[in-house]
Amino acid sequence: MIQVEAARTNGMLRLRVSDNGVGMAKGADGSLGYRLVRALTSQVGGTIGVDSNDGGTTVTVTTAA
Amino acid sequence: MAAAPNNKAQSVLERLRESGGVFVDAVQTTPMPMLVTDATSPGNPIIFANTAFIAVFGYAMDEVLGKDEHFLSTGIDSAEIVAAFRSALAAGRDETLCIPLCHRDGTRSLTSLTIVPLRDHRGEIIHHFLSFWDQGKSAKNVASDRALAAENARLIKLLAERDLQIIEINHRMKNNFMQATMLLMLEEKRQSEPALADALHAAGERLRSLADIHNALSALEKGQPIDFGSFVETLVRPLVPPTMPHVELVLCPTEPVLVGPDIAQPLGLVAVELVTNALKHAFPSRRRGGG
């Protein structure tokens, strides 16, 4: 399952994509996809949180908007 | 009754309205009474009347739409006035007439009427803009008022032309995105090197997402916010291939989250990347293609 959530709390926009898969492989955060995500997030002045273990991965992008 | 919306010009006006360009705002907010006709339909029926027209002439919207422009001279009209209308319309250039017109309450006023044609990209007249200006109310500076009225009508036409051009450019950009995506897909099919084919596939998918984002955002008025949740849904929903029915995509229903296009664009792409990554790597045992 992949869950996508968009919400606004306390003036912050939160985009969260989580899955219940196998977790991120070592070095996956160096992939083109993640480099793009980091570049786009910093473009809007946002921050990224990644939580990954063998029960799945959750990436949360937060920005003021 | 309104004219049947079954023709080309109607759809042009609809597109202008949907595009939310400045033209529609300009026509609505100008203090000058204005009508828009559909020049591609028989009888050149009126398809739009602005707020000022309704206020000044007193007709209800229903009484105006679908009529031909001569209806304002009913009761006073002579063959002469109708002929003046017709020749002004037929001239295909900006024309100003001065004729007595009927208000809803039966009063008549000597009105200066500027007729401005709007042409499509092939040069055919698709609309006439009719701007009215009551001469009786400003007898002092007739000449300069008339010039102002004509200039106002001309500016509104320029806005309409500009809006049409923006619609056209957006349409072309959409086609360009599609063609570029197609090129990458063709390249991908030619590749025997799997790593290269994968890279081309990923690039094609990213371009497709950019095209989707462009389409969704170009339909918005300038700076108008968009509901981020449903925007993201339209972007990520098509990413799940039919070969992965076991991957369920859940979009959390929340309150609408309105964001501007400047935020929606990059964060839309972020959502696409994150969902793509999850699809690609999170469920390896049932990977696309069976591994």
Side-chain angles (χ1 to χ4, degrees), chain B:
Chain B
M1 279 301 291
N6 57 356
N7 52 66
K8 192 178 62 181
Q10 180 81 23
S11 79
V12 169
L13 194 80
E14 280 309 312
R15 281 165 71 191
L16 279 172
R17 269 189 221 172
E18 281 164 17
S19 80
V22 282
F23 156 74
V24 175
D25 283 345
V27 172
Q28 268 306 4
T29 56
T30 177
M32 179 168 298
M34 280 193 77
L35 293 176
V36 181
T37 71
D38 172 6
T40 66
S41 279
N44 200 21
I46 294 161
I47 53 171
F48 187 70
N50 72 353
T51 318
F53 181 89
I54 297 295
V56 170
F57 284 86
Y59 294 95
M61 194 65 93
D62 277 1
E63 297 173 300
V64 178
L65 298 182
K67 295 262 176 36
D68 68 30
E69 65 286 349
H70 319 121
F71 93 96
L72 288 166
S73 56
T74 310
I76 26 175
D77 72 344
S78 55
E80 208 179 313
I81 292 175
V82 174
F85 256 120
R86 293 238 163 98
S87 72
L89 292 171
R93 54 171 190 269
D94 301 5
E95 288 282 331
T96 300
L97 306 175
C98 192
I99 44 179
L101 292 181
C102 275
H103 294 236
R104 179 74 175 84
D105 62 9
T107 58
R108 291 157 193 195
S109 61
L110 190 62
T111 304
S112 173
L113 163 62
T114 300
I115 299 174
V116 175
L118 177 72
R119 294 169 191 275
D120 66 9
H121 60 281
R122 285 186 298 274
E124 285 171 39
I125 297 177
I126 47 176
H127 294 295
H128 286 106
F129 296 144
L130 280 62
S131 305
F132 302 85
W133 166 66
D134 191 338
Q135 290 210 337
K137 286 195 179 131
S138 46
K140 269 190 253 166
N141 297 306
V142 173
S144 67
D145 282 3
R146 252 177 95 149
L148 265 179
E151 183 60 12
N152 189 58
R154 198 184 64 84
L155 286 174
I156 282 178
K157 179 177 95 155
L158 286 179
L159 286 177
E161 285 173 346
R162 201 202 66 147
D163 284 357
L164 281 177
Q165 215 169 4
I166 291 173
I167 292 172
E168 176 65 26
I169 288 169
N170 277 332
H171 190 71
R172 255 186 261 164
M173 271 183 77
K174 180 179 160 183
N175 286 344
N176 289 346
F177 272 126
M178 306 262 289
Q179 284 157 6
T181 306
M182 202 179 65
L183 275 175
L184 287 175
M185 282 168 63
L186 289 172
E187 275 300 329
E188 178 196 341
K189 291 218 166 60
R190 288 197 328 162
Q191 289 302 328
S192 48
E193 180 68 44
L196 214 47
D198 276 358
L200 285 165
H201 183 80
E205 289 297 319
R206 286 188 173 112
L207 208 53
R208 193 199 302 272
S209 296
L210 280 175
D212 287 346
I213 291 174
H214 167 78
N215 294 346
L217 296 182
S218 65
L220 295 177
E221 241 175 272
K222 187 172 163 286
Q224 185 194 334
I226 187 169
D227 174 27
F228 189 63
S230 45
F231 171 68
V232 164
E233 177 162 11
T234 60
L235 295 178
V236 301
R237 190 65 76 191
L239 297 176
V240 185
T243 51
M244 296 180 83
H246 54 286
V247 176
E248 191 194 353
L249 188 65
V250 179
L251 288 123
C252 293
T254 49
E255 301 277 299
V257 180
L258 295 178
V259 297
D262 53 331
I263 296 286
Q265 211 277 345
L267 288 192
L269 261 187
V270 164
V272 166
E273 287 300 331
L274 292 175
V275 171
T276 304
N277 265 332
L279 284 168
K280 242 165 126 180
H281 303 297
F283 310 100
S285 59
R286 296 156 110 177
R287 250 187 112 147
R288 187 165 56 108

Side-chain angles (χ1 to χ4, degrees), chain A residues 2 5 10 21-23 27 31 33 40-41 45 47-48 51 53 55-56:
Chain A
I2 300 173
E5 183 197 340
N10 303 328
V22 297
S31 70
L40 290 163
T41 304
T47 54
I48 309 174
D51 178 17
N53 53 48

